[in-house]
Amino acid sequence: MSKHLHKQLRTQLIHAGSPRFHGRIAPVNVPVVRTSTVRFDSTDAYDDLHHRRAAGEAVTSYGRHGMETHRALEDAINALEGGTRTFLTPSGLSAISLTFLALLSPGDHALVSDSVYAPLRRLDQQVLQRLGIELSYFSPGASHVEEHIRSNTRLLYVESPSSLLYEVLDLPRLAEIAQRHDLILAADNTWGSGYLYRPLQLGAHVSVLAATKYISGHSDVMQGAVVVEDAALAACIARTYDNLGLTISADDAYLSLRGLRTLPVRLAQHQANALQVAHYLQDHAQVQRVFYPALAGDPGHALWRRDFSGANGLLSFSFREEEREKARAFVDALKLYAIGASWGGYESLVQIAAPARLAEHSYLAENKPVVRLHVGLEDVRDLIADLDQAFRTVFR
Ligand SMILES: *Cc1c(COP(=O)(O)O)cnc(C)c1O
């Protein structure tokens, strides 16, 4: 497969890992190579591969490191993120914990934007604090980020757009600050999934992904990835990654690779549907505010236009009515949106944003109930009709 012909990202995603010919034919798809160990053709090969692995290279010397299926997915995610090294992890959360455990030591401090994926706070309280690693949270919209940097700050960790409310961060500005203070900048890029947003190109050193969401795209895989460009950083993460024994199955690697083939078309349709839903909600008398960066009125719209190539199917909205029971009744009245966490699959989902989570976000001023929708790939007319009947049922 001639690599030079495949420069555009969409093309790369279609052809990543394309198997070699054996004789005159080759399969279209990457084989699912299930193996718990690997065979070497000589003791020299055994020594060579073990040494290279120990030195931090992405080579296989044991089943835990995976073979063709894993390499193909790593290559595709590298292409997606503009990285040189991808570490595949068994969930998005384990990609986050790998990032913190690999980059920080006892006595170190990390500065974290206050609107990150909420389970990070539990990792902080229940694991990192126990290890003597300190995290503090800052409001990314405030101008005085630098005031929170301490002499022991090593890591600036952010998520853009943020969880639940999609606050768009000025990543290039944060990258400048990180550089000035010699900090590592890591960004959770699950929302952008590499295709809509490329943190490594905007100055971040580490991009963290929950492949569980849009990359696999079919609600049938739990998976994460940590992506870096810098070789020293890759070697540092490789040590912790290997010592923690993190790995994923070849079957799951295959499913994500299959999902990646259609990521651009799925995202385009999610965005088209979500934009229509967002406009419908924006015009609704019971809706206070719609949170969706692709909407012209969203406070993050200008940054989104500057730094992103598109949006996805995630949006939230707040009710005018303060009564929480009404919001719950609304969610219960929906028929096409399944009540559940997560997002990024083909199907529509709905969830009430927990007030305790929202209270942590400095971005939200009001105290109205907030509902998050994942707008799936159903016909958008049906999705809007469902919202409409739920509004009419609850707010007669
Ligand atoms: C879902 C999610 C994660 C965690 O991914 P899991 O695979 O569910 O562990 C991390 N970050 C963000 C922004 C997410 O939405």
Side-chain angles (χ1 to χ4, degrees):
M1 186 70 41
S2 166
K3 287 224 170 65
H4 317 286
L5 292 175
H6 298 144
K7 292 213 175 84
Q8 299 298 324
L9 186 52
R10 276 167 178 256
T11 310
Q12 285 180 40
L13 291 178
I14 296 294
H15 292 281
S18 194
R20 285 202 201 90
F21 280 84
H22 290 289
R24 299 175 66 181
I25 56 168
V28 171
N29 278 300
V30 178
V32 179
V33 182
R34 291 195 196 91
T35 191
S36 63
T37 189
V38 298
R39 296 184 296 151
F40 301 86
D41 66 359
S42 65
T43 51
D44 279 350
Y46 180 93
D47 288 347
D48 177 44
L49 283 158
H50 274 85
H51 288 143
R52 284 166 62 191
R53 182 86 200 168
E57 252 188 87
V59 293
T60 291
S61 58
Y62 185 53
R64 206 161 48 219
H65 316 139
M67 293 184 68
E68 290 100 301
T69 326
H70 293 71
R71 292 298 92 72
L73 177 59
E74 289 162 4
D75 288 351
I77 294 179
N78 280 332
L80 198 60
E81 289 276 347
T84 52
R85 186 77 186 267
T86 290
F87 299 91
L88 300 170
T89 66
S91 66
L93 183 56
S94 58
I96 296 173
S97 57
L98 170 64
T99 301
F100 281 83
L101 291 171
L103 301 178
L104 299 169
S105 298
D108 286 348
H109 169 251
L111 196 52
V112 178
S113 57
D114 62 15
S115 49
V116 288
Y117 180 65
L120 170 56
R121 296 195 185 232
R122 224 166 38 226
L123 174 73
D124 171 10
Q125 287 152 17
Q126 298 181 2
V127 178
L128 299 175
Q129 281 180 23
R130 195 157 50 74
L131 301 177
I133 294 165
E134 204 182 344
L135 270 56
S136 64
Y137 300 85
F138 73 101
S139 168
S143 53
H144 49 268
V145 176
E146 288 183 273
E147 287 172 16
H148 301 280
I149 296 171
R150 308 174 187 173
S151 57
N152 61 341
T153 307
R154 299 276 170 268
L155 173 68
L156 184 56
Y157 183 91
V158 299
E159 181 182 326
S160 178
S162 69
S163 277
L164 295 177
L165 301 172
Y166 323 112
E167 176 181 13
V168 184
L169 276 54
D170 190 342
L171 203 65
R173 178 176 156 263
L174 292 168
E176 256 173 53
I177 294 172
Q179 191 174 17
R180 196 151 54 233
H181 296 268
D182 203 17
L183 310 179
I184 296 168
L185 175 62
D188 184 326
N189 190 28
T190 301
W191 191 98
S193 293
Y195 193 73
L196 304 175
Y197 193 51
R198 307 181 88 197
L200 300 181
Q201 264 66 60
L202 296 171
H205 305 99
V206 183
S207 184
V208 178
L209 291 165
T212 308
K213 310 289 170 55
Y214 283 117
I215 287 180
S216 63
H218 294 75
S219 301
D220 52 7
V221 183
M222 296 299 302
Q223 197 175 104
V226 176
V227 192
V228 295
E229 213 210 319
D230 178 82
L233 212 46
C236 164
I237 294 173
R239 280 192 293 277
T240 301
Y241 179 76
D242 275 350
N243 283 310
L244 289 177
L246 295 175
T247 188
I248 66 167
S249 74
D251 299 83
D252 283 351
Y254 180 82
L255 286 173
S256 279
L257 202 52
R258 185 166 77 171
L260 269 176
R261 309 294 189 202
T262 56
L263 178 69
V265 287
R266 283 187 288 109
L267 283 171
Q269 192 58 44
H270 280 291
Q271 171 174 346
N273 283 3
L275 206 51
Q276 285 200 52
V277 170
H279 284 134
Y280 162 80
L281 290 168
Q282 208 173 26
D283 293 339
H284 201 284
Q286 298 298 338
V287 172
Q288 174 87 25
R289 179 171 165 191
V290 179
F291 301 87
Y292 190 61
L295 275 183
D298 190 279
H301 188 66
L303 282 176
W304 173 77
R305 284 185 66 134
R306 189 190 73 186
D307 293 343
F308 292 72
S309 64
N312 61 27
L314 265 185
L315 62 86
S316 296
F317 66 95
S318 55
F319 290 83
R320 267 194 213 293
E321 180 103 35
E322 284 188 25
E323 217 184 309
R324 309 206 66 80
E325 284 312 311
K326 285 268 167 65
R328 294 175 71 89
F330 173 85
V331 168
D332 284 332
L334 291 168
K335 295 185 168 73
L336 283 177
Y337 297 79
I339 301 171
S342 198
W343 44 274
Y346 50 83
E347 80 287 16
S348 290
L349 291 165
V350 60
Q351 192 183 23
I352 296 186
R357 296 282 80 78
L358 292 173
E360 292 160 350
H361 291 221
S362 52
Y363 185 60
L364 187 68
E366 67 209 47
N367 187 26
K368 302 283 177 74
V370 173
V371 162
R372 179 181 81 184
L373 298 179
H374 177 250
V375 180
L377 301 176
E378 297 92 338
D379 191 306
V380 72
R381 290 169 296 190
D382 294 328
L383 294 176
I384 290 174
D386 192 26
L387 294 167
D388 216 42
Q389 66 77 23
F391 275 122
R392 278 186 277 109
T393 305
V394 179
F395 300 95
R396 278 186 243 268

